[in-house]
Amino acid sequence: MLSSMSPMAKYKLVFLGDIYVGKTSIITRFMYETFDNNYQATIGIDFLSKTLYLDDRTVRLQLWDTAGQERFRTLIPNYIRGSSVAVIVFDVTNKQTFDSTDRWVEDVKNERGTDAIMVLVGNKTDKVEERCVTTEEGTAKAKELGAMYIEVSAKTGDNIKTLFKQIAGGLPSGE
Ligand code: GDP
Ligand code: MG
């Protein structure tokens, strides 16, 4: 079969969002099905790859984890430029991280213009008591951006696989 001989589609996903929102934890949960309560600072930029088997095709995802610190911020536009998807993460228990998604969106638009594929992710849904950003607020912002919206918990693993499947499923094939 010709299709089985064609090279597997590869996509770069760049993870953006303020420090401490859970970017590294989401990637770690997806890659290794583990979670660490201790904070491990991401230094600069890291990347990991994983093959995802969808119903109708197999894709290779390259996950670029970024650090939120200002001193690394100037590196980020280069990674956005080479990416297929920007995954913008905020913490549903921290309103400020939700507000600053606008800044990250701005960065993506500056590099990718209107062809940017963006996904807005609300993380830490397990912290029910401390929650201060609602599903409605997340949905409304994503709609404004023309982005997909999903809520996850890297801690429990809730919706993590769905997040990646939805991203991969929404990607144009043959990129
Ligand atoms: P990053 O700076 O965006 O990469 O954030 P990290 O992935 O390093 O996570 C920052 C802190 O939040 C760490 O202490 C994690 O253990 C914690 N954390 C990340 N995701 C979750 C989550 O879904 N639920 C809870 N309760 N804590 C989380
Ligand atoms: Mg990190």
Side-chain angles (χ1 to χ4, degrees), residues 57-124:
R57 60 202 171 113
T58 302
V59 296
R60 184 101 180 137
L61 300 181
Q62 218 176 57
L63 313 178
W64 293 83
D65 191 7
T66 65
Q69 295 97 319
E70 286 299 327
R71 66 196 163 108
F72 297 119
R73 192 143 178 149
T74 52
L75 299 174
I76 293 176
N78 290 303
Y79 292 91
I80 294 173
R81 212 168 299 144
S83 68
S84 316
V85 183
V87 184
I88 301 170
V89 184
F90 69 93
D91 173 352
V92 298
T93 73
N94 182 334
K95 180 74 163 58
Q96 201 196 310
T97 67
F98 180 65
D99 293 339
S100 55
T101 56
D102 293 340
R103 245 181 98 194
W104 293 106
V105 167
E106 200 62 19
D107 284 5
V108 175
K109 288 199 169 151
N110 283 339
E111 296 307 321
R112 303 300 308 264
T114 48
D115 30 273
I117 299 178
M118 283 184 274
V119 178
L120 185 65
V121 180
N123 185 38
K124 310 197 187 181

